[in-house]
Amino acid sequence: NIFVNGIDILNLQDKEIPYLRRQLGIIFQDYRLLPDRTVYENVAFAMQVIEAPYRKIKRRVMNVLELVGLRNRANAYPNELSGGEQQRIAIARGLAMDPSVLLFDEPTSALDPETIEDVLDVMKKLAKEGMTMIVVTHEMGFAREVADRVIFMADGQVLEDRETVSFFENPKDERAKQFLSKIINH
């Protein structure tokens, strides 16, 4: 089962869905930006869905765009942005409702090596500010630096669930050992 703030998301009651939507920010690997809307409109969209007041939307959108370093791109369209900028806009959209948890699905997989660092820097900043994040990633350097806990999965099974230092210094599972030996030695 998966619980968010005490609510089992697999057994949701209809009345719990709006509350849960406000608690979770989701950032997909393919950005999922609306191509016909500006950066500002893309970020504001999540707040409009929950019918947040206009003034709150305007203030929050500009704050999260500032946080991801793209306030100056508010009037641009997604096709005018680099992949790294688009992903940072997706992060801003995920942050717009001030969620309890951000879920990241391979946030750097579609990016070129030069822009990966920009996205990881935003995520590191969020971690330092205390944002709870669940990140699916192959970026082990990032995981080692930022994560409090690592869950190593393969074939749909949890093979390791440990504190970060323990996982990297002394993995118990053979598959985790092999994985780490390949990425650390290359």
Side-chain angles (χ1 to χ4, degrees), residues 113-131:
E114 293 173 359
T115 58
I116 287 173
E117 214 44 52
D118 291 338
V119 171
L120 293 179
D121 285 345
V122 169
M123 294 171 69
K124 288 173 190 176
K125 183 177 178 181
L126 292 171
K128 286 179 186 169
E129 292 175 359
M131 173 57 73

Side-chain angles (χ1 to χ4, degrees), residues 74-124:
N75 295 318
Y77 286 86
N79 67 346
E80 299 170 344
L81 305 172
S82 71
E85 288 172 326
Q86 288 183 48
Q87 190 61 298
R88 288 187 289 158
I89 295 307
I91 292 169
R93 184 184 53 206
L95 287 167
M97 292 186 303
D98 198 21
S100 300
V101 179
L102 281 178
L103 306 175
F104 289 86
D105 178 17
E106 289 284 354
T108 59
S109 66
L111 302 177
D112 61 75
E114 293 173 359
T115 58
I116 287 173
E117 214 44 52
D118 291 338
V119 171
L120 293 179
D121 285 345
V122 169
M123 294 171 69
K124 288 173 190 176

Side-chain angles (χ1 to χ4, degrees), residues 139-151 160-171 180 184:
E139 297 287 340
M140 291 297 103
F142 170 77
R144 188 176 209 162
E145 181 181 342
V146 176
D148 297 319
R149 176 174 156 198
V150 173
I151 298 173
E160 298 254 357
D161 179 354
R162 307 185 49 212
E163 290 183 8
T164 304
V165 174
S166 299
F167 173 76
F168 281 100
E169 291 181 0
N170 189 23
L180 288 173
I184 292 173

Side-chain angles (χ1 to χ4, degrees), residues 41-110:
E41 293 166 335
N42 266 279
V43 176
F45 181 72
M47 295 182 74
Q48 291 166 342
V49 168
I50 62 163
E51 299 176 354
Y54 173 78
R55 284 185 178 173
K56 182 176 183 181
I57 291 172
K58 185 174 182 178
R59 183 176 54 251
R60 184 69 182 153
V61 168
M62 296 314 284
N63 285 345
V64 295
L65 287 176
E66 182 74 34
L67 181 71
V68 300
L70 291 171
R71 186 180 177 115
N72 63 331
R73 304 290 283 169
N75 295 318
Y77 286 86
N79 67 346
E80 299 170 344
L81 305 172
S82 71
E85 288 172 326
Q86 288 183 48
Q87 190 61 298
R88 288 187 289 158
I89 295 307
I91 292 169
R93 184 184 53 206
L95 287 167
M97 292 186 303
D98 198 21
S100 300
V101 179
L102 281 178
L103 306 175
F104 289 86
D105 178 17
E106 289 284 354
T108 59
S109 66

